[in-house]
Amino acid sequence: MSESTPDPVRTVGPVRVVGAGLLGASVGLGLSAKGIDVIVHDASPTALSLAIDYGAGRKARDTDDPALIVVAVPPDLTAEVVAQELKAFPDALVTDVASVKVAPLSELSLVGADLSRYIGSHPMAGRERGGAISARADLFIGRPWVIAAHAGIPPTQTAVIERLALDLGAVPVRMSAEEHDRAVALVSHAPQAVSTLLARRLADAPESSLSLAGQGLRDTTRIAASDPALWVQIMGANSTYIIEVLRDIRTDLDVLIHSLSDQEANGARRSLAQILAGGNNGVARIPGKHGIDRRFAQIVVKVDDSPGELARLLTEIGEAGVNMEDLRIEHSPGADIGLAEIAVLPEAEERLVGVLEERGWKIAGAYL
């Protein structure tokens, strides 16, 4: 059997990573795994030591001459640190991975930084937990990595960040800083706000209510567990575009409240139906697997809460010759079973249901 050819390494090192948190350490882990010399720096000696212990890179030396610098610090420090790195390493290209792009670029322009060696970027990847302890070399695989080119940056420099994204398994996406900030306000920052507002309702809820919580509540409040200090910075830096989205949500909320308050009023139920249908239309536009916009059939299978049962289910789906497009697991409160929601192509639904039932699986539901 012939050995597989290793993926090419496109990034030219050394690469200096400033900030040993989740994103910075994950960049370091991913590049180090490809044999690239990674220098890790952090203002916190503890955070730095932890990232190095996990294999994200090595300590800085006085003789270091990095070709590329990745700044992965909180948004309110990004411009300041980028400016320092540009000054300290006059031959290096500097990028940052902050979740806002207009503010750092504007601040750097105001202080007269060398914008010909700076280009902002943003990998659309993360976890609710931060720090090097949560970092993963595969964190960016398959995720968009926005590259916010500007008028002062040569195309050759933009290509360097594209190669970085590709080496980490990400998908490079070119946008202006303004396009990026408006987009993330809609798909990331406003969802954080809405999730948080919903989760706040749970703080004083009676235990009897919380005991009924299902996967819907967990799905819609998952990101509410994110770091408040970080999100104060992110929301503050992108407030203009976030406010636009929240105002539109407030308008819909007013319509919804009015419709529910007087359901016998003319048009009340129609308004309610239009709001709900609008939600259906929005969900349908979210790109699915491989970026393809299509609907899958959902099959819900009851799975006993015992070792090996979920693995057996997945094995038997494979033996049936059906490709699983997605999987969600929901545990039933107070019961020793779970519900596995399997997404498959609609044309495979009937065949898979038949195979699973023949093998003794109980189907809780199948629907498009």
Side-chain angles (χ1 to χ4, degrees):
M1 181 181 294
S2 61
E3 295 183 0
S4 59
T5 304
D7 293 334
V9 178
R10 306 169 181 87
T11 300
V12 177
V15 176
R16 175 176 162 91
V17 177
V18 183
L22 171 65
L23 292 183
S26 294
V27 169
L29 287 170
L31 294 180
S32 295
K34 287 184 170 288
I36 297 171
D37 181 20
V38 178
I39 307 151
V40 185
H41 175 72
D42 195 286
S44 165
T46 301
L48 176 61
S49 296
L50 189 60
I52 292 172
D53 284 348
Y54 272 96
R58 62 170 174 83
K59 287 185 177 180
R61 304 179 187 130
D62 292 339
T63 56
D64 285 333
D65 185 19
L68 173 64
I69 299 173
V70 179
V71 173
V73 299
D76 63 349
L77 294 173
T78 296
E80 177 184 347
V81 174
V82 167
Q84 291 171 354
E85 296 296 310
L86 286 168
K87 184 176 180 179
F89 299 96
D91 295 324
L93 173 65
V94 181
T95 189
D96 74 274
V97 294
S99 54
V100 290
K101 298 273 70 85
V102 171
L105 181 60
S106 299
E107 292 176 39
L108 288 166
S109 180
L110 285 174
V111 300
D114 183 2
L115 297 182
S116 69
R117 294 190 295 111
Y118 164 74
I119 179 169
S121 69
H122 180 208
M124 300 297 294
R127 307 178 70 182
E128 292 78 47
R129 297 178 180 178
I133 194 172
S134 301
R136 299 200 322 250
D138 63 354
L139 183 68
F140 309 105
I141 292 178
R143 304 302 304 158
W145 189 306
V146 176
I147 302 169
H150 56 82
I153 192 78
T156 52
Q157 301 285 52
T158 303
V160 172
I161 310 304
E162 287 185 342
R163 291 194 289 269
L164 170 69
L166 291 169
D167 276 341
L168 292 170
V171 181
V173 178
R174 293 196 185 192
M175 284 183 168
S176 70
E178 292 79 7
E179 288 172 332
H180 167 272
D181 284 8
R182 187 182 292 275
V184 295
L186 175 63
V187 303
S188 177
H189 302 169
Q192 177 68 44
V194 173
S195 177
T196 297
L197 292 174
L198 176 59
R200 276 174 58 85
R201 309 279 71 77
L202 307 178
D204 299 319
E207 292 294 332
S208 57
S209 297
L210 297 178
S211 68
L212 303 178
Q215 197 62 36
L217 183 66
R218 293 184 176 89
D219 286 346
T220 51
T221 60
R222 177 182 60 82
I223 58 176
S226 300
D227 180 11
L230 175 62
W231 276 97
V232 166
Q233 297 180 39
I234 293 173
M235 289 187 177
N238 203 25
S239 59
T240 299
Y241 295 131
I242 297 172
I243 288 170
E244 289 181 3
V245 180
L246 293 181
R247 280 177 175 159
D248 289 341
I249 293 173
R250 183 175 64 184
T251 298
D252 282 347
L253 276 175
D254 287 341
V255 173
L256 184 60
I257 292 169
H258 180 74
S259 299
L260 293 174
S261 298
D262 187 1
Q263 298 179 46
E264 301 306 317
N266 289 336
R269 286 186 171 83
R270 178 179 177 180
S271 295
L272 178 58
Q274 287 176 336
I275 291 286
L276 296 171
N280 292 161
N281 294 337
V283 167
R285 293 200 63 206
I286 300 174
K289 184 178 179 182
H290 307 311
I292 299 173
D293 182 11
R294 68 170 300 170
R295 300 291 297 274
F296 296 116
Q298 310 293 327
I299 301 172
V300 181
V301 185
K302 294 181 180 179
V303 181
D304 289 338
D305 188 11
S306 56
E309 282 299 282
L310 180 60
R312 182 169 71 89
L313 172 63
L314 300 184
T315 298
E316 293 185 357
I317 291 173
E319 290 174 350
V322 175
N323 188 48
M324 185 174 62
E325 305 294 336
D326 202 357
L327 169 67
R328 293 199 317 164
I329 305 295
E330 179 176 354
H331 294 283
S332 298
D336 293 330
I337 64 167
L339 299 176
E341 185 176 307
I342 311 295
V344 298
L345 293 175
E347 55 266 29
E349 175 188 359
E350 184 176 351
R351 176 163 59 92
L352 181 58
V353 168
V355 169
L356 293 179
E357 287 180 335
E358 286 177 2
R359 299 193 178 198
W361 294 100
K362 294 181 180 179
I363 307 300
Y367 52 91
L368 282 173

